[in-house]
Amino acid sequence: MKKALITIFSIIAVFVVIAIIADAYEPKQLNWRPSYSINNKIPLGLYVLNEEAPDLFKGDTIEKISISPYEYLEEDYDYETNTYYSQGTYLNIYESNDIDRASAKELLNYAAHGNTVLLSMNNFPEVILDTLGLSIRDLNPVDSIALTFDKNSKNKYWYKEGHGHNYFDSLATGNDSIAILGYQHTKDTVVPNYVQAKFGYGRILLHTQPQVFTNYYLLTKNTWQYAEAIAAKIPTGRLLWQVGNATAQNRDTTLTNFLEQPAFSSFWYLGLLALIVFIFFNARRRQRVVPVIHPVTNTTIDFTKTIGNLYFQEGNHHTIIDKKIIYFLEKVRTDYLIDTYSLDDAFVERLHQKTGKSIQDIQQAVSLIKKHRQQILSSEADVIAINNAIEKLRL
């Protein structure tokens, strides 16, 4: 068992070393997975935004929250005066909608009390869209899009990696409380992607292209200017920045961040595999080897076979037939209590009645026995014939 475990762990260790060496020499590729985490330095993370936030949101007191808006804002609400203890702006930048229904309603209430809510994501809570009379639609996929703040503006900001396709398909008719603040352009279309809705004493800003705030576009060409222009729409003061999952569970854990590193990820999963193999081989009950006890051999049968082989090898066919006849008649006397002194028709009839065997088969066996008793020498063919006749009766 110890040798097997040593072999298994040796093989796993070799694979780990090979994986580490291969990873060390493998050219690093950009990870374009959308993260939207302030801890990630990958292209579509928010590390740069987090570092530049004090300058980008000038004059703001930034509070990062990692619980749901409902949990956070409920603690900030004074039920006696029906007001929030402090005014401010709620900011959520994420790839898709992760806001639960209760939190969406709380955000509407927060905006109605004179605050600002800015959501930059590919889709939005249905409660907010229905309340504002908005609907979104998915544009046909394209390689790249351009964003502007004016429909006919020539100053376009181009985005290729990580962009979404959603836009505002319809606005509530006759509702002058909703204004279009930005557009997204493709080769054939120009559609609104950034709107502002007055709600109560506050307002709600909805933006469908969150990639504009990611590391890649804050460090590339002039696209940082677009993000800066959106940030300028946020009133100065208290800023509640959602940096954790809006359904009360933190998006990122320490382990998640480590697993994003290929070398650690390979080592981690190989370690788990080794643990599973170790448990599998050690979960079986250990006990000493139980010796195999062979059944007691029937020495009588072995002796008979030995004697029979001896007669057969010496070619003493006559003696073999004698032994076969003696054994047969002894069995008839012992098992069926039939006298074998005279092998006549009465013997044949009595044996037929007690055994139910065919009279013809019994007569053939008796005939061969009588024939053998009358001859002095016998051949191998005689041995086979009388053996087959007796075995056919199967007494």
Side-chain angles (χ1 to χ4, degrees), residues 81-138:
T81 61
N82 291 326
T83 58
Y84 288 91
Y85 290 113
S86 57
Q87 301 294 100
T89 299
Y90 172 84
L91 172 66
N92 192 335
I93 302 170
Y94 196 48
E95 181 186 20
S96 59
N97 167 40
D98 65 343
I99 302 174
D100 59 82
R101 186 177 180 85
S103 294
K105 290 183 177 181
E106 188 66 32
L107 289 176
L108 288 171
N109 189 58
Y110 185 66
H113 282 76
N115 300 291
T116 300
V117 173
L118 172 56
L119 305 179
S120 183
M121 49 187 62
N122 290 332
N123 50 68
F124 308 95
E126 292 185 7
V127 173
I128 293 179
L129 292 176
D130 293 342
T131 302
L132 301 179
L134 298 172
S135 65
I136 59 174
R137 187 175 179 181
D138 189 8

Side-chain angles (χ1 to χ4, degrees), residues 328-341 346-347 350-351 354-355 395:
F328 170 69
L329 296 179
E330 178 63 26
K331 188 170 182 63
V332 170
R333 288 192 297 268
T334 303
D335 293 351
Y336 300 102
L337 304 176
I338 300 175
D339 183 19
T340 60
Y341 180 78
F347 171 81
R350 206 173 299 118
L351 186 59
K354 287 197 174 185
T355 63
L395 298 182

Side-chain angles (χ1 to χ4, degrees), residues 276-334:
I276 292 172
V277 173
F278 178 79
I279 293 174
F280 175 78
F281 281 100
N282 284 271
R284 297 180 299 177
R285 182 169 62 90
R286 292 183 176 182
Q287 64 177 28
R288 62 183 180 85
V289 178
V290 178
V292 178
I293 301 176
H294 298 284
V296 179
T297 57
N298 191 329
T299 54
T300 303
I301 295 176
D302 291 341
F303 177 76
T304 304
K305 289 181 179 179
T306 302
I307 297 300
N309 290 333
L310 179 62
Y311 282 126
F312 185 77
Q313 289 173 4
E314 291 182 355
N316 198 341
H317 303 115
H318 197 79
T319 304
I320 293 175
I321 295 175
D322 283 340
K323 303 298 182 185
K324 187 72 176 178
I325 293 172
I326 292 171
Y327 175 78
F328 170 69
L329 296 179
E330 178 63 26
K331 188 170 182 63
V332 170
R333 288 192 297 268
T334 303

Side-chain angles (χ1 to χ4, degrees), residues 19-39:
I20 294 174
I21 295 174
D23 181 73
Y25 285 95
E26 183 182 6
K28 302 300 180 182
Q29 297 181 349
L30 285 177
N31 180 6
W32 288 102
R33 180 182 65 84
S35 168
Y36 294 94
S37 167
I38 62 174
N39 300 316

Side-chain angles (χ1 to χ4, degrees), residues 177-192:
S177 64
I178 297 179
I180 299 175
L181 301 181
Y183 298 85
Q184 63 187 40
H185 303 249
T186 64
K187 182 179 180 180
D188 303 318
T189 61
V190 179
V191 291

Side-chain angles (χ1 to χ4, degrees), residues 59-264:
D60 293 335
T61 300
I62 302 175
E63 298 179 30
K64 297 172 185 176
I65 62 176
S66 57
I67 59 176
S68 70
Y70 175 80
E71 292 173 299
Y72 189 89
L73 294 176
E74 186 186 32
E75 295 292 328
D76 196 47
Y77 189 75
D78 185 354
Y79 284 92
E80 293 183 0
T81 61
N82 291 326
T83 58
Y84 288 91
Y85 290 113
S86 57
Q87 301 294 100
T89 299
Y90 172 84
L91 172 66
N92 192 335
I93 302 170
Y94 196 48
E95 181 186 20
S96 59
N97 167 40
D98 65 343
I99 302 174
D100 59 82
R101 186 177 180 85
S103 294
K105 290 183 177 181
E106 188 66 32
L107 289 176
L108 288 171
N109 189 58
Y110 185 66
H113 282 76
N115 300 291
T116 300
V117 173
L118 172 56
L119 305 179
S120 183
M121 49 187 62
N122 290 332
N123 50 68
F124 308 95
E126 292 185 7
V127 173
I128 293 179
L129 292 176
D130 293 342
T131 302
L132 301 179
L134 298 172
S135 65
I136 59 174
R137 187 175 179 181
D138 189 8
L139 191 68
N140 291 331
V142 291
D143 291 337
S144 60
I145 62 170
L147 300 180
T148 63
F149 294 106
D150 186 274
K151 190 173 185 179
N152 300 315
S153 175
K154 294 183 179 180
N155 185 23
K156 298 178 180 178
Y157 303 92
W158 287 95
Y159 298 85
K160 183 176 181 180
E161 303 293 343
H163 70 271
H165 306 102
N166 287 351
Y167 66 95
F168 293 99
D169 180 40
S170 64
L171 307 178
T173 58
N175 187 353
D176 57 359
S177 64
I178 297 179
I180 299 175
L181 301 181
Y183 298 85
Q184 63 187 40
H185 303 249
T186 64
K187 182 179 180 180
D188 303 318
T189 61
V190 179
V191 291
N193 80 297
Y194 182 26
V195 299
Q196 172 184 275
K198 295 179 182 179
F199 192 75
Y201 294 101
R203 59 180 181 155
I204 298 176
L205 301 171
L206 302 179
H207 182 260
T208 64
Q209 299 295 342
Q211 83 280 356
V212 302
F213 295 100
T214 59
N215 301 328
Y216 181 75
Y217 291 110
L218 288 182
L219 298 174
T220 304
K221 296 182 180 179
N222 65 337
T223 49
W224 63 270
Q225 297 174 1
Y226 183 87
E228 185 180 50
I230 294 179
K233 290 288 184 180
I234 300 176
T236 58
R238 181 192 186 205
L239 177 65
L240 305 178
W241 185 4
Q242 185 82 51
V243 296
N245 195 304
T247 54
Q249 282 187 334
N250 203 336
R251 283 189 194 111
D252 299 301
T253 62
T254 303
L255 179 59
T256 302
N257 294 328
F258 275 112
L259 288 177
E260 290 176 354
Q261 308 304 318
F264 181 84

